[in-house]
Amino acid sequence: DTEVTQTPKHLVMGMTNKKSLKCEQHMGHRAMYWYKQKAKKPPELMFVYSYEKLSINESVPSRFSPECPNSSLLNLHLHALQPEDSALYLCASSQEYTRGPNYEQYFGPGTRLTVT
Amino acid sequence: AQSVTQLGSHVSVSEGALVLLRCNYSSSVPPYLFWYVQYPNQGLQLLLKYTTGATLVKGINGFEAEFKKSETSFHLTKPSAHMSDAAEYFCAVSYTGGGNKLTFGTGTQLKVEL
């Protein structure tokens, strides 16, 4: 199974709401990633977890809060977002991170987030 | 610093024609190079990758790419385009010492016409 699943598929939230995005993989991968992708742009890396520890935070605003409860799950908690945070949020996983750089990243289908 | 340049944000070909999507990289160390495809409202899927060894890399769906160090290029080709190839294509680079972090190009939208 080479699938990365993400829920929900679509999310509409107000600027005062709190919501969470969920990502799951069962490939035994030890690295998981969150990306943000605006329309017609490449994905931008937000966070990387390696062995359930946060390895990379690409200066993401604190209104985005990642969590890795176990090696298969990755959450992204959202609070007090701005309309400019509307985007496709992609999760990915790979076998390793630190021992990279040649490990394939497997991407989920994404969550389309709209902030109103 | 590593970077990727994709020439042509939009490429249009006829069905059955050759597909050529261009990617040039800038890297001070040996690069690892990837091509990903993204269909509408979907995530990214790896087409092929170059790490070391053979410079001509074959991928899925009939695509291939050739690593040319002298030209710092990794262009993606397919001999005969199919309507189902219409998608966004991203070239990406990573490098030893950078973890598994990918630096993406700006993408090329491929349109296939009848």
Side-chain angles (χ1 to χ4, degrees):
Chain A
D1 181 10
T2 58
E3 191 179 18
V4 175
T5 59
Q6 290 188 245
T7 54
K9 193 168 183 176
H10 300 276
L11 179 62
V12 179
M13 60 184 290
M15 289 189 283
T16 58
N17 291 159
K18 285 185 182 181
K19 296 286 185 183
S20 296
L21 309 184
K22 181 180 171 182
C23 173
E24 196 164 2
Q25 57 88 14
H26 294 287
M27 293 178 276
H29 289 172
R30 304 315 302 266
M32 296 187 78
Y33 311 71
W34 280 116
Y35 288 88
K36 173 183 178 180
Q37 186 179 27
K38 300 285 267 185
K40 307 297 183 187
K41 298 289 186 184
E44 299 172 29
L45 183 64
M46 299 174 72
F47 303 103
V48 180
Y49 273 84
S50 178
Y51 288 82
E52 299 156 53
K53 287 188 168 53
L54 185 63
S55 286
I56 301 282
N57 175 344
E58 293 284 21
S59 304
V60 179
S62 59
R63 56 186 185 268
F64 294 92
S65 176
E67 179 195 21
C68 189
N70 60 57
S71 59
S72 300
L73 276 175
L74 185 66
N75 298 319
L76 186 62
H77 303 299
L78 314 172
H79 174 55
L81 294 193
Q82 303 296 310
E84 59 265 28
D85 296 321
S86 298
L88 181 68
Y89 288 83
L90 294 164
C91 175
S93 71
S94 67
Q95 206 170 328
E96 293 274 350
Y97 178 78
T98 308
R99 290 180 228 173
N102 57 334
Y103 293 103
E104 176 180 352
Q105 291 188 26
Y106 292 82
F107 285 80
T111 293
R112 177 76 58 188
L113 174 67
T114 303
V115 181
T116 61
Chain B
Q2 277 51 242
S3 67
V4 175
T5 301
Q6 290 184 242
L7 286 175
S9 58
H10 291 84
V11 170
S12 185
V13 301
S14 300
E15 191 173 35
L18 172 72
V19 175
L20 171 61
L21 304 183
R22 299 179 186 274
C23 173
N24 287 88
Y25 68 90
S26 170
S27 176
S28 56
V29 294
Y32 293 76
L33 294 157
F34 305 80
W35 274 102
Y36 281 86
V37 61
Q38 186 175 30
Y39 298 102
N41 299 311
Q42 293 189 29
L44 279 70
Q45 181 183 16
L46 182 69
L47 281 175
L48 47 81
K49 67 178 182 181
Y50 169 77
T51 54
T52 57
T55 56
L56 182 62
V57 181
K58 294 187 184 299
I60 62 171
N61 302 341
F63 285 94
E64 63 181 38
E66 186 170 11
F67 172 63
K68 291 187 177 180
K69 185 178 179 181
S70 61
E71 298 177 10
T72 61
S73 69
F74 191 57
H75 301 331
L76 182 71
T77 60
K78 182 174 180 177
S80 177
H82 191 272
M83 296 295 289
S84 60
D85 294 326
E88 186 84 22
Y89 292 79
F90 293 101
C91 184
V93 65
S94 63
Y95 61 97
T96 302
N100 206 41
K101 182 177 179 179
L102 291 172
T103 299
F104 287 95
T106 50
T108 297
Q109 180 73 47
L110 176 65
K111 183 177 179 182
V112 182
E113 298 174 316
L114 284 171

